[in-house]
Every structure is written in C-alpha cells, then in structure tokens.
Amino acid sequence: MKKKRSLILGVAIVVVLTALALVAYHLIFKADVSLAMVVLAVFGFLLFIVFVAEESFQDENNRTIASNINKSITSALAISNSGLLVYDDNNRIVWMSELFRERHLDHQGEKLTAWLPELRDLLQGSVDVSVVVINDEKFEVSRQGDDRIILFKDITEIYDMKKSVVDGAYVLGLVSYDNYDESMENEDDISYVNSNIKLPVIDYFKKFHITYKTLRNNRLFLIMNEKQFNLMHEDRFSILNTVRREAKKGEIDVTLSMAFARGSNDLNELDEMAQSLIELASSRGGDQVVVRKVGEEAVFFGGSSEAREKQSKIKVRTMTNTIRNLISRSSNVIIAGHLEMDADCIGAALCMSVFAKTIGKEACIVTKSGGVEPMIADVMKKYASILESRHDFVSENEALNRLDDNTLVILVDHHQAITSNAPAVLRNASRIAVIDHHRRAADLDIRPVLFYLEAAASSTTEMTVELLPYLKKRYDILSEEANIMYLGIMIDTNRFVKRTGSRTFDVAKALRQMGADPVVCNELAQEPYDLVIKRSKIIDSGSVYRDNIVIAAVEDETIPRSIASQAADAILNIKGIDAAYVVVNTKDDTIITARSNGKINVQVIMELMKGGGHMSAAGLQRKDTTVQELKKELIGVLDDYYSKEKIEDESNIAE
C-alpha cells in the first residue's frame, strides 16, 4: 500500500514539474503551449480522481478491518467470559464492555473504587492480580500495563471447583483426655467424666459431622475434611472451654488436647504428623489444640491451664535407666546450660555432673561462655574451692576440644540451640540429650536422642535430683552443692509459692537430707543494695494495661535477668494485677520477662513474639533492638491478642 501511494505522489510531482516547465517555455519562447497544458490538466485531474478513489477504498478497508477486529475481540472476550473496563485519571469508569451490561453491572460514570474498593491495591500497583466476588460470581482482575484498562475474567467455575477440592482435602486429628488415668480414682469419677465430659466432646464432633473412633479410654481418632475443620476453627475449638468448665465443677483434673494434621493427600504422612502433634501438646502441659499444615509452622490454641503434676515414679525410674545407659556408652559427657545461666540451670548441671561421675564418666560443665547471672555467680565464687575440686568448668571452645563422635551432650533447663551457651558444640555433636521443664517449642533446631521434658515440674533441678535415687549406686552430694540445687528450686518457685507440687517438696526434703540449709540459701539469694535499687526502679517504671496487667520498661541502664524476674514477681504481689511484663537491657541483649498468677497465659504472648516459657513464667531475648521498640511491639501484640477474644475467654486465642 505504501508503494502505491509513493507511485501516485511521484507522478503528481512529475505533472507539477512538467506544468512549470511549459509555463517557462511559453514565457521564454512565446510559444503556444495551451494544448499541452490542457492535456496535462486532464492527466492531473485523472490522477486526482485515482488518488481520491484509492484513499476512499483504503478508508473503507480500514473500517472493515477495524470492525472485524472489534468483532473478534468481542467474540474472544465472550468466549473467555472476560470483560474490559476503561477508567480515567480520577478512577471514574468511562467505558465497560458487553460482559458487564449482560450481567447488569453497568457502572459507567461511577468511581471504580466506590464500586469495588477491594481494587485499591491493584490501582496503586501494590498487586498485579486481585480476585473479587460480585453477585456470587468470582472474577480475576488484572491491570493492563500503565494503560487505564482493567481486564475482568470470570473464574467462578474454576474457583468453585478448586475450593471444592480444597474443602474436600483430608484432615486427620487426635484427641487426648489429659490426666485421665490419674483422675479416675473411683466409679463416681468415671461416671462423671463419661456423662459430663466425654459425651459433650462426642456431641461437639457430631455437630460438625466429623467421623470419630475411640482408640482407648483417653484417646479419639478423627477424620474430616478442610471444610469441617474450618467450621471448628471458626468456633475457636470451644469444646476446650466446655471440658475445662465441667472438670472444674466435678473437681477433676481432666483437660482436653487436640492435634490436627493438614495439607497432604498422603494419609500416612498426616497420621504421623498428628501423632507427633498430640505428643507435643501433651509435653506442653495439655489443655490446648495444635494445628499444623505440611510445610508450615505449628499453630497453638488454648493452653490456659497449668501443666498437671503426674505422680508416676515409673517414668522417672525408666528415664534414669535410659540416661544411665546413654552415659555408660559415651566416651565423656558435656553439660550445657542456657545463656545467662541461673540458679536452676547451675543446680541441674551440677546434679548431672555428679550423675555422670557416679557411673565413672568424665563430665564437664560449660559455664565460662554465655554468662552466669550475678547472684549465682557470687555463690559459685563463694563455693569455688569445693566446686572446682569436684567439677570441671569449661568454655565452649574447651568443650569443643573434648567433643568426639561418642560424646554425650546434655542440655539442662533449655532445649533450643539458639538459647544455649554452647551452640557450636550442639552443631557438631552426634548425640544430644535434653532435660528441661519448659514447654516444648513446636520446632526444634536440634535432634536429641533423648528428650526428657516435664512441663509440670517446678524446675529442671527438681527433675535431675529425682533421678539420683534410681542410680543404684552410691552418689555423693556435698552440702554446698545441695544448697545451690535447693536455691535453684527456691528461686524458680518464688520461694515455693509458684508451680509447686508434692514432688517439689519431696525433692526439697531430699536436698535437706543431703545438707541443704534453707536459712543459708535465703542468705545466698540476697542481693547487693545497688541491685535492690535497680529492682525498685523497674517497679516504679510500670504502667497499667487493661486494668490487670503491668508493663514496666527501663532503658537507660543494664539490668541482670534475675533482677528483672524478681521485679516481675514483686509486681504480681500488687492487688488486682494478674500479669507483669518487664522490658530491660541486659549485658548482651534486650529481654522481656513475663510473669502471671495463673489467670493469664503469658507464654502465649511470648510465643507470638518468638519467645517461650510457661503459662505463668515466660520471656524472650532479642539483639539489635531497643527497650522502647520491644515495648511497642509487646503492646501491639497484646492489643491484637485481646481484640480477638473476650478477656474472660482468652483460652481460645491462637498462640
């Protein structure tokens, strides 16, 4: 087409030049050129007619092509159930394709964001694709480059089909009645549990049409789909409250734990996951729901009851035999504590050092790395001559030099490498054993060959001292060591007020018989005047949150962890206060120490901030942050937490 136009233009130029030449010839030679001019004029006129006809033909052809293209686009949009929308600078709709008129969605002239406010992010470029629901129809909406054109694609059929597949995916669950065997002391208790606890649980699952099967007296197996699970999730697993309420009425210590595994078509994988999750719930004290989707982290609900003490001595004896066998088959033992070791951590480490030496194995304790709290550091300095003659205290590097493939590394009072005072040892160790009284984290960054965790125990020292009588060998604990162990239990229980059971006092009695002196321990727990001032400053900095919670923060000085904990305990003695959060800088990082009287689950809050602990005693530590930043984050988490549920029913809030 361009060639034709060029040819016509070339001929026109020749005609014009010829006419000019004839005029010049006439003027110069006075010759008659009228005939030639007439012929040239006729030729030019004909050329003009041809040019106009060509342009007219081209315009018609273009209109035909445009019409065909428009029909093709319209047809393509109709076939693909799609529509186009054009808007102006003010986000006002200026044109809508046929799809919208067919579906009675003619909003031309209106603001797009007024009609569909969920498209704001798309218009701002924050997202490339959005899904909107209009009159029960689902549309995938995308923006076409920088042009003010939006494509709507009807994906209702695909969306509903996908949702049907997702809703129909299998979810496996396990239900466990916590403390069931220990609580069934007589026929009346059994009858009460069957009528007032088990029957409501069965009715609850029937309400959601969930298939269940009784595995044994204290356990159920559940099978359901995602839709049924989501309905139960929306209900916030209210059956936990029902069981807790009925158990309280009947003065029975039975609670409910549930585990749900999702996100896989492999039923064996889901079954194994559900088994591990119910064990996780049990190790964290029960009275909670644990949910995990394949490839994602576990999510916790509930956990508002303190772990119950289990009176079984069989487990302690079995654990003693297991630990003894592990140590006997080891070349040596390395005992590691957590960062800033406290009295409980030191006491448990000394006890396991005695345990290992009693069966003839060399043992060392990592204390020269990661820090020791000032109070217990002073006690160890006071007893240095005795302790150093009986125990081998080393740094992490020294421990690494003693590590071989057959070394057993024992973690006391913690179970994560991230909080350990010997992380390099754990990374290189082939065999790790854990003895701890904190609720278990969902994901471990170590792989222990033994995991001995009792969330109901008052302290790790309590757990380790319980092992000694089952050694079947004569063990030797000096009064100085017994004092440190007693001190560890005394401080962790706030002088035998918090989280104590009959076993706690049994261990305290045993330590007294080994030479521990409560009066001496009380003196050892005393602090210098400057630490008392620091504790008072923390208490003075507190402010009340939601009437029954105190948040205290001090940022202009370094404060030992033990002082932060003591300040939190002191705040709990204030009338009407159920929980205390203390935010301070320590020597190495910024921490939150959280305490409660049992009415509020501080562990839930700390785990939301990637910390951990117990229902009534928890905390976290952070590097590269400030006290004010951490306090602001804490308040944000608390605001979000309490906005989800009524305060009096906080047990159903996701951890």
Side-chain angles (χ1 to χ4, degrees):
M1 190 60 62
K2 287 183 178 180
K3 289 183 178 180
K4 288 183 178 180
R5 289 187 175 182
S6 298
L7 178 62
I8 293 172
L9 182 60
V11 173
I13 292 172
V14 170
V15 169
V16 171
L17 291 175
T18 303
L20 291 174
L22 288 173
V23 171
Y25 183 78
H26 170 71
L27 293 174
I28 295 171
F29 298 104
K30 307 297 183 182
D32 184 9
V33 293
S34 56
L35 181 59
M37 291 293 289
V38 170
V39 171
L40 191 60
V42 171
F43 182 77
F45 176 75
L46 292 174
L47 183 62
F48 174 77
I49 294 298
V50 170
F51 180 77
V52 170
E54 179 66 26
E55 284 296 315
S56 177
F57 174 79
Q58 184 60 40
D59 289 343
E60 180 62 27
N61 190 47
N62 287 343
R63 284 192 292 272
T64 302
I65 292 173
S67 177
N68 290 337
I69 291 174
N70 189 48
K71 289 179 181 178
S72 298
I73 292 174
T74 302
S75 177
L77 289 173
I79 292 172
S80 64
N81 273 335
S82 299
L84 285 177
L85 176 154
V86 181
Y87 61 96
D88 62 17
D89 293 347
N90 297 316
N91 293 333
R92 195 171 300 281
I93 302 170
V94 297
W95 180 81
M96 303 179 80
S97 66
E98 186 65 27
L99 174 85
F100 299 99
R101 285 186 287 275
E102 290 176 352
R103 304 193 184 190
H104 307 290
L105 299 174
D106 191 355
H107 291 269
Q108 190 167 323
E110 297 179 19
K111 268 204 169 186
L112 178 56
T113 48
W115 175 39
L116 297 173
E118 55 265 52
L119 293 184
R120 291 183 187 277
D121 289 341
L122 183 73
L123 296 177
Q124 293 170 1
S126 302
V127 296
D128 296 324
V129 178
S130 292
V131 174
V132 298
V133 179
I134 307 173
N135 299 336
D136 293 329
E137 293 180 313
K138 291 83 181 177
F139 291 90
E140 182 182 86
V141 186
S142 57
R143 187 180 176 191
Q144 305 305 299
D146 293 330
D147 297 330
R148 293 185 176 84
I149 300 173
I150 292 180
L151 175 66
F152 285 71
K153 180 175 175 57
D154 188 340
I155 58 169
T156 304
E157 186 175 345
I158 297 173
Y159 185 93
D160 290 345
M161 187 182 301
K162 183 179 179 181
K163 190 174 188 303
S164 176
V165 171
V166 171
D167 286 346
Y170 283 116
V171 177
L172 296 189
L174 284 172
V175 177
S176 176
Y177 296 99
D178 308 314
N179 313 307
Y180 180 85
D181 293 332
E182 294 86 348
S183 300
M184 300 300 100
E185 296 180 353
N186 53 57
E187 290 295 328
D188 289 340
D189 290 338
I190 294 173
S191 176
Y192 184 87
V193 168
N194 288 338
S195 301
N196 297 84
I197 293 179
K198 286 190 172 183
L199 191 58
V201 169
I202 296 302
D203 289 341
Y204 182 79
F205 295 134
K206 284 182 177 179
K207 181 175 74 171
F208 296 104
H209 306 290
I210 293 170
T211 302
Y212 64 90
K213 181 176 178 60
T214 301
L215 300 180
R216 50 181 186 267
N217 283 338
N218 68 335
R219 187 160 290 192
L220 296 174
F221 173 77
L222 308 176
I223 185 167
M224 68 204 81
N225 58 34
E226 281 282 348
K227 185 176 182 180
Q228 293 166 310
F229 170 79
N230 287 330
L231 290 172
M232 194 161 45
H233 181 277
E234 290 171 5
D235 181 61
R236 308 301 290 178
F237 307 106
S238 63
I239 189 61
L240 264 69
N241 287 331
T242 302
V243 170
R244 193 182 307 113
R245 184 171 56 249
E246 293 301 322
K248 186 176 181 179
K249 286 181 184 177
E251 298 181 348
I252 293 174
D253 286 338
V254 172
T255 54
L256 196 67
S257 287
M258 297 191 288
F260 297 97
R262 332 164 30 219
S264 174
N265 293 323
D266 187 338
L267 293 180
N268 288 327
E269 182 181 14
L270 293 180
D271 183 53
E272 290 177 7
M273 187 188 298
Q275 293 282 354
S276 67
L277 290 176
I278 200 69
E279 291 173 9
L280 174 60
S282 177
S283 70
R284 290 165 54 90
D287 187 28
Q288 59 194 277
V289 178
V290 188
V291 180
R292 174 168 250 162
K293 189 173 184 179
V294 173
E296 297 181 5
E297 293 184 358
V299 179
F300 300 92
F301 300 82
S304 66
S305 295
E306 195 66 272
R308 302 291 182 182
E309 179 184 59
K310 296 179 173 59
Q311 296 292 339
S312 174
K313 297 292 184 180
I314 297 174
K315 181 177 180 180
V316 178
R317 184 168 61 247
T318 302
M319 198 58 64
T320 303
N321 292 334
T322 303
I323 295 172
R324 184 180 61 242
N325 291 335
L326 281 172
I327 293 176
S328 297
R329 295 196 301 268
S330 303
S331 57
N332 64 316
V333 174
I334 297 173
I335 302 165
H338 55 68
L339 296 167
E340 291 294 313
M341 297 175 77
D342 55 16
D344 179 39
C345 189
I346 292 289
L350 292 176
C351 189
M352 292 314 299
S353 175
V354 170
F355 191 110
K357 291 177 185 298
T358 300
I359 57 179
K361 292 295 179 179
E362 291 185 3
C364 64
I365 306 173
V366 180
T367 58
K368 297 180 180 179
S369 301
V372 177
E373 288 192 349
M375 184 273 292
I376 191 62
D378 289 342
V379 174
M380 293 181 70
K381 185 177 180 180
K382 178 182 177 69
Y383 292 153
S385 60
I386 300 295
L387 296 178
E388 291 174 4
S389 67
R390 290 170 51 83
H391 303 278
D392 191 3
F393 301 106
V394 300
S395 67
E396 182 180 32
N397 287 334
E398 289 173 313
L400 278 170
N401 292 332
R402 303 185 189 194
L403 182 68
D404 60 43
D405 291 340
N406 205 31
T407 297
L408 179 67
V409 178
I410 301 178
L411 303 190
V412 292
D413 205 30
H414 72 297
H415 58 270
Q416 294 278 65
I418 191 173
T419 58
S420 181
N421 66 1
V425 172
L426 300 185
R427 285 195 297 269
N428 292 280
S430 301
R431 303 166 72 239
I432 299 172
V434 172
I435 305 175
D436 191 15
H437 74 123
H438 296 97
R439 280 187 170 182
R440 180 182 158 184
D443 295 299
L444 300 181
D445 53 8
I446 58 172
R447 292 186 178 181
V449 295
L450 172 75
F451 197 89
Y452 182 27
L453 190 148
E454 283 285 357
S458 71
S459 57
T460 308
T461 299
E462 175 187 315
M463 296 172 62
T464 56
V465 173
E466 275 190 320
L467 302 173
L468 296 178
Y470 299 101
L471 259 176
K472 298 179 181 178
K473 286 190 176 185
R474 181 179 176 82
Y475 58 89
D476 183 22
I477 299 285
L478 299 184
S479 60
E480 291 82 0
E481 297 164 334
N483 278 338
I484 292 176
M485 296 175 196
Y486 190 96
L487 187 62
I489 298 174
M490 186 180 81
I491 291 175
D492 263 30
T493 59
N494 194 17
R495 287 175 165 76
F496 298 96
V497 172
K498 302 287 181 64
R499 306 187 66 254
T500 55
S502 61
R503 285 167 65 174
T504 308
F505 292 103
D506 288 342
V507 170
K509 177 184 175 181
L511 289 171
R512 286 281 282 126
Q513 293 171 343
M514 296 175 199
D517 187 335
V519 176
V520 172
C521 291
N522 208 44
E523 292 174 354
L524 294 175
Q526 292 176 346
E527 309 109 9
Y529 181 72
D530 65 318
L531 293 184
V532 175
I533 295 299
K534 288 178 184 289
R535 184 168 60 245
S536 299
K537 186 172 183 179
I538 294 172
I539 297 171
D540 188 55
S541 72
S543 58
V544 178
Y545 173 89
R546 297 185 70 92
D547 298 328
N548 63 337
I549 296 171
V550 169
I551 300 174
V554 175
E555 62 178 334
D556 57 354
E557 59 183 292
T558 298
I559 294 175
R561 292 169 186 267
S562 58
I563 299 303
S565 299
Q566 291 167 19
D569 288 331
I571 291 171
L572 284 182
N573 291 326
I574 300 172
K575 186 176 180 180
I577 299 302
D578 296 322
Y581 296 90
V582 172
V583 191
V584 297
N585 288 316
T586 66
K587 182 175 62 176
D588 299 315
D589 42 37
T590 304
I591 68 167
I592 296 178
T593 294
R595 295 289 186 269
S596 85
N597 58 11
K599 295 180 181 179
I600 291 177
N601 190 341
V602 292
Q603 180 207 3
V604 173
I605 301 299
M606 292 298 94
E607 286 192 342
L608 286 171
M609 298 177 69
K610 306 303 181 184
H614 294 285
M615 175 186 169
S616 56
L620 62 83
Q621 56 195 32
R622 293 269 186 86
K623 293 188 181 296
D624 302 322
T625 188
T626 66
V627 167
Q628 287 305 316
E629 288 172 347
L630 204 53
K631 179 183 177 182
K632 183 178 179 181
E633 181 183 346
L634 170 64
I635 293 173
V637 170
L638 288 169
D639 288 343
D640 183 61
Y641 179 83
Y642 286 110
S643 69
K644 291 179 180 177
E645 292 287 334
K646 294 179 182 178
I647 302 175
E648 65 270 19
D649 193 21
E650 66 171 310
S651 62
N652 286 338
I653 300 175
E655 295 180 26

